[in-house]
Amino acid sequence: TQREYYANPKLHYAQGWAFAHFIYYGKKKKYRKKIYELMSLLLSGAEREEAMDTIFYDVDWGTLEAEFKSYVKKLKPMRLNSTYWFGD
């Protein structure tokens, strides 16, 4: 919920980006097509819950969560320097 998110926004922001990264790049990209389908429905005016139910009807959420946790555990931190950010 929004209340839960704002109770610890830094943590939930990071989790959200990790999940987005997983959906797009993880598990041999098996969920990537669903994101495009979801965005298409939302852009055509569908309500968020309706769109989620339509696109993710066949997803086993327990499996997805396990795959996500496994994916996150394998991520390696990136060291970013000023050249990366500023092109110096």
Side-chain angles (χ1 to χ4, degrees):
T1 66
Q2 191 172 28
R3 179 178 291 196
E4 292 170 328
Y5 178 89
Y6 285 110
N8 194 346
K10 289 179 184 177
L11 172 65
H12 292 113
Y13 183 82
Q15 286 175 333
W17 272 110
F19 189 70
H21 197 274
F22 163 72
I23 290 293
Y24 200 76
Y25 295 108
K27 202 63 177 175
K28 299 182 181 176
K29 303 175 186 172
K30 86 177 198 183
Y31 298 108
R32 183 183 284 190
K33 182 179 177 190
K34 291 188 178 296
I35 291 303
Y36 289 114
E37 293 169 348
L38 177 64
M39 295 306 296
S40 179
L41 277 178
L42 292 172
L43 289 170
S44 70
E47 294 293 323
R48 182 176 44 122
E49 258 187 69
E50 174 191 351
M52 290 288 291
D53 289 345
T54 299
I55 300 304
F56 291 98
Y57 74 94
D58 60 343
V59 170
D60 179 320
W61 291 98
T63 299
L64 184 137
E65 182 177 11
E67 291 170 351
F68 172 58
K69 287 179 178 179
S70 174
Y71 181 79
V72 168
K73 288 178 183 177
K74 294 175 186 172
L75 290 175
K76 305 263 189 275
M78 290 177 57
R79 182 177 177 155
L80 303 177
N81 59 37
S82 62
T83 303
Y84 178 85
W85 287 105
F86 304 110
D88 298 343

